[in-house]
C-alpha cells in the first residue's frame, strides 16, 4: 500500500501551481489536461488560466482525500526528466523553483525526478539564519570573497550541492574572463593553461618544479569539472545528498583556486 503523504498548505499549492502553469516554462493547457487525467486529479476549472486550473485541481483533490499523493504524482509525471532531453536548463529552472516551495514541506525534487525528504524550512528567517551560520563558518576559513556570492539563503534553501555547483561556475567564468576564451570545461582548461602557450599561468614556469605545480593546478581544475560540471552524465550529482561539512570543504578548495587565479 502506498504511503499516505501529508497535505500541503494552500500557500505551497499556490506556489507550485504558478510554477507549473508559468506562461514561459510551464505546462501547456493540453499537457495539464493530460497529466490531470493520468494521475486522477479532477479537472474542475478547464476554462481557467493555466495555474488556476492546476491549483483548483490540487485543492479539490486534497480537500476530498486529505492527502497529497496524486499532487506529487502530477509533479513527477509532468517533470519527468525524459520529457526534457535537450532542454536541460528549462528542467533545472522549473525544478529549482518548485523546490523553493517544496522545502517548506520538507520535500525536494531531485534531478532524477524523485522526491526525497529534507529538513523543513519554516520561515524566510530560518533560511537566512542557515545561510548566516554557513557564511560565518566560511569566514573562519578566510574563504575567498567570490564564494560568498553563492551561499545566500535562496541557494541554501534548495541544498548545499546547488550552492557548490553554482560556486564552481564562478571559477570557470573567471578563467574565461582572464583568458578571453569562450569555451568551457576541459577544453577551456587545456587552452587557458597550456604549458607551451599559456594564456594564464600560476607561476613563471621557469623550472620543473613550477611546471609540475602548474600541471597539478590543471589537474585540480579538471577534477572539479569532472565532479560538478557534467550535469547530464555524472551520476553522483543526481544521487548525492551533500552535507554541510562536505560543502564547506569543497568551497574551501574553490577558494584556493580563486586565490591562485588572482
Amino acid at each position: 500500500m502506498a504511503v499516505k503523504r501529508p497535505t500541503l498548505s494552500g500557500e505551497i499549492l499556490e506556489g507550485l501551481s504558478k510554477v507549473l502553469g508559468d506562461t514561459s516554462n510551464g505546462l501547456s493547457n493540453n499537457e495539464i489536461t493530460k497529466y490531470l487525467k493520468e494521475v486522477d486529479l479532477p479537472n474542475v476549472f478547464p476554462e481557467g488560466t493555466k495555474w488556476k486550473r492546476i491549483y483548483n485541481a490540487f485543492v479539490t483533490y486534497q480537500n476530498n482525500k486529505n492527502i497529497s499523493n496524486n499532487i506529487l504524482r502530477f509533479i513527477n509525471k509532468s517533470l519527468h526528466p525524459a520529457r526534457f532531453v535537450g532542454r536541460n536548463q528549462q528542467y533545472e529552472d522549473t525544478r529549482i523553483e518548485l523546490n523553493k516551495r517544496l522545502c517548506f514541506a520538507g520535500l525536494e525534487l531531485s534531478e532524477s525526478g524523485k522526491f526525497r525528504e529534507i529538513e523543513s524550512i519554516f520561515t524566510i528567517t530560518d533560511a537566512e539564519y542557515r545561510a548566516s551560520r554557513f557564511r560565518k563558518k566560511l569566514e573562519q576559513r578566510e574563504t575567498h570573497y567570490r564564494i560568498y556570492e553563492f551561499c545566500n539563503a535562496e541557494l541554501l534553501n534548495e541544498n548545499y550541492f546547488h550552492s557548490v555547483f553554482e560556486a564552481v561556475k564562478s571559477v570557470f567564468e573567471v578563467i574565461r574572463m582572464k583568458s578571453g576564451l569562450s569555451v568551457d570545461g576541459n577544453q577551456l582548461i587545456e587552452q587557458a593553461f597550456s604549458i607551451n602557450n599559456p594564456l594564464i599561468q600560476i607561476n613563471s614556469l621557469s623550472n620543473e618544479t613550477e611546471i609540475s605545480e602548474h600541471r597539478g593546478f590543471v589537474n585540480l581544475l579538471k577534477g572539479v569539472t569532472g565532479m560538478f560540471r557534467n550535469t547530464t552524465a555524472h551520476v553522483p550529482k543526481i544521487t548525492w545528498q551533500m552535507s554541510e561539512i562536505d560543502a564547506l570543504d569543497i568551497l574551501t578548495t574553490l577558494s584556493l583556486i580563486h586565490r591562485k587565479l588572482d
Side-chain angles (χ1 to χ4, degrees):
M1 183 178 293
V3 176
K4 292 183 178 181
R5 296 291 181 180
T7 58
L8 303 173
S9 72
E11 292 79 11
I12 294 175
L13 292 179
E14 181 176 338
L16 295 174
S17 301
K18 287 182 176 178
V19 173
L20 293 166
D22 180 74
T23 53
S24 300
N25 288 331
L27 301 169
S28 68
N29 273 305
N30 286 339
E31 288 172 333
I32 292 170
T33 300
K34 175 178 183 291
Y35 293 120
L36 288 177
K37 183 176 181 180
E38 285 187 7
V39 302
D40 198 26
L41 287 177
N43 191 5
V44 293
F45 196 35
E47 303 303 321
T49 58
K50 292 192 294 181
W51 82 264
K52 287 185 178 179
R53 289 186 63 195
I54 298 169
Y55 176 71
N56 278 277
F58 285 178
V59 169
T60 302
Y61 167 81
Q62 197 166 255
N63 286 344
N64 289 336
K65 302 292 186 179
N66 205 34
I67 54 175
S68 62
N69 291 51
N70 288 16
I71 294 170
L72 299 179
R73 285 181 60 209
F74 181 91
I75 295 173
N76 278 142
K77 284 273 189 179
S78 61
L79 263 291
H80 194 288
R83 292 189 57 239
F84 292 85
V85 173
R87 296 183 294 146
N88 184 64
Q89 193 58 53
Q90 182 183 353
Y91 176 75
E92 280 300 293
D93 289 345
T94 304
R95 188 179 70 86
I96 287 168
E97 289 302 315
L98 289 172
N99 281 339
K100 289 177 183 177
R101 283 77 179 171
L102 288 167
C103 69
F104 284 89
L107 288 174
E108 180 179 69
L109 185 67
S110 71
E111 286 197 20
S112 61
K114 304 295 184 182
F115 287 106
R116 60 190 174 204
E117 294 183 359
I118 61 170
E119 182 181 351
S120 295
I121 295 294
F122 296 101
T123 67
I124 295 174
T125 303
D126 288 341
E128 289 174 346
Y129 172 77
R130 182 177 171 187
S132 176
R133 181 190 64 192
F134 190 68
R135 182 186 175 105
K136 185 174 182 180
K137 290 182 179 181
L138 287 172
E139 288 173 347
Q140 290 171 345
R141 297 178 179 217
E142 298 184 359
T143 306
H144 193 279
Y145 73 91
R146 289 187 186 274
I147 300 300
Y148 300 132
E149 300 170 12
F150 301 88
C151 297
N152 56 48
E154 182 179 84
L155 287 176
L156 291 175
N157 261 352
E158 294 155 20
N159 51 55
Y160 290 116
F161 189 96
H162 195 71
S163 298
V164 168
F165 183 61
E166 290 298 316
V168 170
K169 291 180 183 179
S170 72
V171 169
F172 290 89
E173 185 60 32
V174 169
I175 294 173
R176 278 190 291 269
M177 179 182 68
K178 287 180 176 290
S179 67
L181 298 170
S182 58
V183 292
D184 198 13
N186 284 346
Q187 185 181 2
L188 172 64
I189 296 167
E190 289 168 0
Q191 290 183 27
F193 296 92
S194 165
I195 293 292
N196 296 325
N197 185 31
L199 300 174
I200 304 172
Q201 56 193 73
I202 63 170
N203 55 44
S204 63
L205 296 175
S206 59
N207 55 54
E208 280 301 315
T209 299
E210 291 188 343
I211 290 172
S212 293
E213 182 188 21
H214 187 86
R215 284 176 173 155
F217 186 69
V218 168
N219 289 332
L220 176 60
L221 289 171
K222 286 184 177 180
V224 167
T225 256
M227 198 168 187
F228 297 105
R229 291 282 287 174
N230 189 349
T231 59
T232 58
H234 192 61
V235 175
K237 181 174 185 292
I238 294 174
T239 60
W240 185 10
Q241 178 111 21
M242 183 177 290
S243 67
E244 182 179 80
I245 188 63
D246 286 343
L248 285 167
D249 286 345
I250 295 164
L251 290 173
T252 302
T253 302
L254 296 176
S255 175
L256 168 66
I257 292 172
H258 271 300
R259 278 198 291 272
K260 288 291 186 182
L261 290 174
D262 287 348

